[in-house]
Amino acid sequence: MARKRHRLIRYNRPLRWSIVLLFVIALIVFRFVDQIGPERSVGDRFVVVKVLDGDTVELLGGDRLRLLTIDTPEKGERLYKEATAYLTDLTLNKRVRVEFAHKRRDKYGRLLGYLYVDDTLFVNLTMIRRGLASVYLFKDTDLDRKETINMIAGQREAIEDRVGLWSVDPVAEDYYVAVKGSFRFH
């Protein structure tokens, strides 16, 4: 009897693991399908439910969206709180539209896009014009795209108007450090 029971347990083990695996897959699929659902109209799919910092939001369904072509101060840096609060005022609990570039996700799994509220307010550009963000380019950034052109022009305006990040005179450094091909220096 004990031998027969041992054989049943051994043969049922793969079945149990298969059931557990199917259950986990079903949870993941239903989580995304249930909360996001089909897109019925422009912007209907995306609702900002949380602002993580000045350039990252969380959308209904759990996806995180990193705003393309901008960089805002990190926690502990000057204007971090202001950038995060301003992005919160612009987007929290609002339906938004996302324009994607050729690459939809980054290496962290976040969506990458240009964010619009009410199809008219270009959030990425608004953050730059307020001096709460700077243009952040990568080697694969499409420099001929209208959003990129507008953000570079917006940053020039913010620098000329000396707002936000651009309101303080830069401190001269003895040297700058750059990684070859990174488009950035520190």
Side-chain angles (χ1 to χ4, degrees):
M1 185 71 168
R3 186 172 216 166
K4 187 176 183 181
R5 183 171 175 234
H6 184 290
R7 190 178 321 150
L8 280 175
I9 291 173
R10 192 174 68 211
Y11 288 120
N12 286 335
R13 190 174 297 158
L15 178 64
R16 277 191 245 156
W17 279 110
S18 298
I19 291 171
V20 168
L21 182 63
L22 284 173
F23 181 73
V24 169
I25 291 171
L27 276 175
I28 291 169
V29 168
F30 286 120
R31 173 183 171 246
F32 289 116
V33 171
D34 184 42
Q35 291 187 13
I36 294 176
E39 192 167 359
R40 291 180 292 278
S41 64
V42 175
D44 190 39
R45 178 177 179 174
F46 299 107
V47 175
V48 175
V49 295
K50 185 177 182 182
V51 174
L52 303 172
D53 60 23
D55 52 29
T56 310
V57 298
E58 187 173 312
L59 304 171
L60 183 65
D63 267 325
R64 291 182 174 187
L65 171 72
R66 171 67 166 82
L67 302 184
L68 267 177
T69 318
I70 72 168
D71 188 36
T72 59
E74 300 299 325
K75 193 171 191 171
E77 294 179 347
R78 185 174 163 268
L79 296 177
Y80 166 80
K81 290 179 184 177
E82 292 83 348
T84 305
Y86 191 63
L87 185 60
T88 301
D89 290 343
L90 290 176
T91 63
L92 190 61
N93 297 320
K94 294 183 182 169
R95 290 182 181 199
V96 296
R97 178 172 58 91
V98 178
E99 288 284 329
F100 297 101
H102 63 282
K103 187 176 173 185
R104 291 180 74 98
R105 291 192 184 268
D106 65 7
K107 64 182 179 182
Y108 305 109
R110 299 177 297 188
L111 291 170
L112 300 169
Y114 302 104
L115 188 62
Y116 292 85
V117 174
D118 299 328
D119 283 329
T120 56
L121 179 65
F122 182 20
V123 175
N124 306 48
L125 178 59
T126 303
M127 296 292 290
I128 286 174
R129 283 188 173 152
R130 282 283 182 124
L132 298 172
S134 59
V135 173
Y136 195 61
L137 301 175
F138 290 92
K139 63 182 173 185
D140 63 345
T141 301
D142 182 1
L143 297 176
D144 294 327
R145 190 177 174 123
K146 69 177 170 102
E147 289 91 349
T148 305
I149 293 167
N150 290 338
M151 285 189 281
I152 291 170
Q155 180 166 299
R156 283 189 188 119
E157 291 171 17
I159 291 170
E160 288 171 8
D161 295 341
R162 299 179 57 85
V163 296
L165 296 168
W166 316 110
S167 64
V168 176
D169 289 325
V171 176
E173 299 287 337
D174 294 332
Y175 61 91
Y176 293 97
V177 178
V179 176
K180 186 176 181 179
S182 73
F183 293 106
R184 283 175 257 318
F185 62 91
H186 304 278

